[in-house]
Amino acid sequence: MLTVEQILAAQKAQVANLFDLSAKALTSVEKLNELNLQAAKASLSESASHAQAVLNVKDVQELLALQSSLLQPLTEKSVSYSRHLYDIASGITAEIGKVAEGQASDAQKQFVAAVDSAVKNAPQGSESAVAAVKNAVSTASAAIESVQKAAKQASSVAEANFQAVAATATKAAAAPRARRG
């Protein structure tokens, strides 16, 4: 049975986790806003210089060369922006995952403690029921650990795939430039 002190301690921990996650979420929003502001400033500056370059074009050949020369940097910048965006998102996701894992672990420990307490107070002749409950708790714990491990592996695979796609996009955009050069 939970005591008032245990309930208060759990509530305090929950409130602390809430404020900690809120602060981390705000930090991620700040990073996202900073990234978008930098991208907007760079885009404005590049648009101005591109417009100036277009105004200085003398013929169609020069215009086509100018347009094609802008594709590679644009692709690289898009990939870079996506990487930064992914880093921000994966950072906050990892933080949320840590908190969720910690809470699940704490809840599991409390549940096991409650089961152990109930087992100690179980009446005579209930040994088979107690064994079944312990077995169920053990199986559930193993299942939770397995799911957490699978989620971490999926996250790692997704990150590796993202990195591979980003590298492929950068190489694909560089290929036309290499052929022209």
Side-chain angles (χ1 to χ4, degrees):
M1 194 74 175
L2 290 176
T3 65
V4 173
E5 290 82 18
Q6 290 172 324
I7 293 171
L8 285 174
Q11 280 300 106
K12 286 180 183 178
Q14 292 297 325
V15 168
N17 280 337
L18 174 67
F19 284 113
D20 184 45
L21 283 177
S22 295
K24 289 176 180 173
L26 281 175
T27 299
S28 293
V29 169
E30 286 176 347
K31 288 178 183 177
L32 181 60
N33 286 338
E34 183 180 321
L35 175 65
N36 286 334
L37 188 58
Q38 289 172 351
K41 285 180 181 178
S43 178
L44 181 62
S45 173
E46 291 162 9
S47 294
S49 47
H50 178 64
Q52 190 63 39
V54 168
L55 291 173
N56 292 329
V57 167
K58 306 278 189 266
D59 60 21
V60 175
Q61 293 278 12
E62 194 176 341
L63 179 62
L64 291 174
L66 176 65
Q67 291 296 345
S68 81
S69 72
L70 296 173
L71 290 179
Q72 170 68 23
L74 181 62
T75 302
E76 289 172 356
K77 287 174 186 151
S78 295
V79 168
S80 176
Y81 178 84
S82 296
R83 278 190 185 132
H84 283 93
L85 196 59
Y86 177 80
D87 289 343
I88 292 168
S90 64
I92 190 64
T93 302
E95 291 296 329
I96 291 170
K98 286 178 192 173
V99 170
E101 243 180 67
Q103 288 179 338
S105 175
D106 290 346
Q108 185 178 2
K109 288 175 188 172
Q110 289 174 353
F111 181 72
V112 168
V115 167
D116 287 343
S117 175
V119 165
K120 289 177 187 173
N121 298 322
Q124 291 290 347
S126 61
E127 290 82 16
S128 63
V130 167
V133 168
K134 283 186 174 183
N135 187 32
V137 168
S138 176
T139 302
S141 296
I144 289 170
E145 288 175 19
S146 178
V147 168
Q148 288 173 340
K149 185 177 178 181
K152 286 180 183 177
Q153 288 174 339
S155 176
S156 296
V157 167
E159 184 170 348
N161 286 342
F162 177 81
Q163 298 299 337
V165 167
T168 301
T170 302
K171 287 177 187 173
R177 181 191 285 171
R179 278 184 247 137
R180 281 193 306 263

